[in-house]
Amino acid sequence: MIFASDNWAGAIPAVLDAVAAIGREGPAAAYGNDSTTARLEARLAELFEHEVAVLLVTTGTAANALAIAALAPPWGAVLAHEEAHLAIDECGAPEFFAGTRTLRLPGQRGKLDAEGLAARLAEIPRGLHHGELSVLSLTSPNEYGLVYAPGELAALCDVAKAHRLAVHLDGARFGNAVARLGCTPAEATWKAGVDVLSFGGTKGGCLMAEAIVAFDPALKEKLAFLRKRSGQLVSKQRLISAQFEAWLTDDRWLSAAAHANAMADRLATAIAAAPRARLAWRPQANEVFAFMTAAEAERLQAAGARFYDWSVAALGPEDRPEPGEKLWRFVTSFATTEMEVAAFAKLLRG
Ligand SMILES: Cc1ncc(COP(=O)(O)O)c(C=O)c1O
């Protein structure tokens, strides 16, 4: 009953096999000059139906920070939701690597909307003394497990572009969003106006593999220097490329995500029927949110369930916890089983 996070899961067997196979293969050129990395780059261009620059790194934090550094000058300002991982959970990495400031925007359940963004952009002071507004960073699925449909994304990107902002998308769980939306990776990114995607593989079934995917290949050189300077140019990069390649093969990334999403739906149904928990909202990816008391959470945790409490800062009035309740997050993964969810459902009823 591990619902703490999807990065608690191991890795998909095909990913592990690919790492073992490439490790046995013998020598290959270092620093990404190998044939596996070249193949992966071509595969990602095909997947996104667009020319791309691909830079592999080991963490989502690095992907986000370097993406921002590629898009913004050091005197730039980045707009992000106030609960965005990049704004509050990365120890200032984007500010450190990019030199930028992060301006935090409110938005219910972690989402920004085009109207709110336009209104905020109209009032943010600009000019020499304030820095240059440079990037809008969005997250999908976001910190509350909600996704931006292509239309919502396009509306936000249109506002950003009208203000000459580049758009970064934190896709630490991009597969879960695409699997849920049923759209193409292109529709979920550049077709809507996204310039750079942090494409997360780790939470979706890799060991540690994150790709910075820039839809303007001219960003490649800048990103390459940034990655080296940040210590993220892994010399045996083929080990990361092999993970990503195996994960994309036969659409494993999508089937793993669809499975995690389906497990989240089951979990949500169990929570909705529980006597001492309330489903906060229907999941749109692989994260489920529930209100319950700390005492009830402790009872579940004492029986072996793993999950964390969550910030209520971005909840609207209709989402408010009742007195004594807290918000809790449950994350499913490719490794979550129906039995695990059924065992938890039984525990919830107990
Ligand atoms: C939305 C989001 N972005 C980025 C990250 C960063 O991942 P990492 O822990 O690999 O730096 C996470 C990890 O929890 C996340 O949830």
Side-chain angles (χ1 to χ4, degrees):
M1 294 182 292
I2 302 298
F3 305 116
S5 186
D6 33 10
N7 54 18
W8 280 43
I12 289 171
V15 168
L16 294 172
D17 292 347
V19 172
I22 204 145
R24 285 203 191 91
E25 236 172 47
Y31 299 113
N33 296 312
D34 60 279
S35 55
T36 312
T37 300
R39 259 194 334 264
L40 174 68
E41 286 176 356
R43 174 75 187 97
L44 283 167
E46 184 191 46
L47 182 74
F48 283 97
E49 306 167 61
H50 201 281
E51 239 192 308
V52 287
V54 178
L55 284 287
L56 295 173
V57 293
T58 56
T59 69
T61 298
N64 287 344
L66 301 183
I68 297 300
L71 292 172
W75 54 88
V78 177
L79 301 177
H81 188 275
E82 60 192 0
E83 292 286 313
H85 197 273
L86 165 150
I88 59 170
D89 284 317
E90 297 186 355
C91 196
E95 289 86 346
F96 179 71
F97 285 109
T100 47
R101 297 185 293 143
T102 307
L103 303 181
R104 298 165 187 204
L105 307 182
Q108 203 170 332
R109 298 179 184 172
K111 280 184 87 168
L112 300 178
D113 65 84
E115 266 175 43
L117 177 67
R120 190 73 185 94
L121 279 167
E123 64 194 24
I124 295 177
R126 291 145 195 271
L128 190 60
H129 298 275
H130 304 285
E132 190 179 326
L133 289 183
S134 309
V135 181
L136 170 67
S137 179
L138 302 167
T139 308
S140 183
N142 71 8
E143 284 62 31
Y144 294 82
L146 301 180
V147 299
Y148 288 109
E152 293 175 299
L153 196 59
L156 280 159
C157 292
D158 285 351
V159 174
K161 301 282 148 123
H163 289 262
R164 290 193 290 137
L165 302 184
V167 180
H168 164 248
L169 183 66
D170 178 350
R173 299 182 175 89
F174 184 66
N176 301 93
V178 172
R180 176 70 71 172
L181 291 164
C183 63
T184 65
E187 285 162 349
T189 53
W190 66 269
K191 282 191 176 171
V194 171
D195 296 293
V196 178
L197 167 71
S198 298
F199 187 0
T202 309
K203 294 177 200 297
C206 293
L207 285 168
M208 42 86 190
E210 309 283 319
I212 303 168
V213 179
F215 298 103
D216 174 6
L219 285 173
K220 181 148 195 175
E221 193 181 355
K222 193 172 181 186
L223 276 163
F225 280 116
L226 286 163
R227 179 176 62 173
K228 177 62 185 173
R229 209 173 191 217
S230 67
Q232 280 286 327
L233 176 58
V234 175
S235 63
K236 291 186 181 174
Q237 199 191 294
R238 60 191 184 279
L239 296 177
I240 307 182
S241 308
Q243 292 176 55
F244 227 95
E245 188 182 41
W247 185 61
L248 295 178
T249 300
D250 296 335
D251 280 343
R252 288 188 187 106
W253 68 293
L254 283 178
S255 43
H259 171 82
N261 292 352
M263 292 300 103
D265 291 345
R266 271 178 188 248
L267 192 60
T269 302
I271 290 171
R276 287 175 296 278
R278 290 193 297 126
L279 182 67
W281 49 84
R282 280 268 147 205
Q284 292 184 349
N286 63 325
E287 293 167 282
V288 184
F289 291 82
F291 294 113
M292 66 178 113
T293 63
E296 176 63 355
E298 275 165 29
R299 181 183 75 82
L300 301 169
Q301 286 162 343
R306 292 286 169 270
F307 54 92
Y308 293 123
D309 63 341
W310 209 247
S311 163
V312 295
L315 299 192
E318 74 274 24
D319 288 332
R320 286 277 154 218
E322 304 286 347
E325 282 182 340
K326 292 173 79 172
L327 181 66
W328 304 85
R329 185 189 76 157
F330 301 81
V331 191
T332 54
S333 76
F334 71 90
T336 305
T337 63
E338 288 179 15
M339 267 172 60
E340 208 176 353
V341 177
F344 187 64
K346 191 170 168 200
L347 188 60
L348 278 168
R349 289 194 296 271

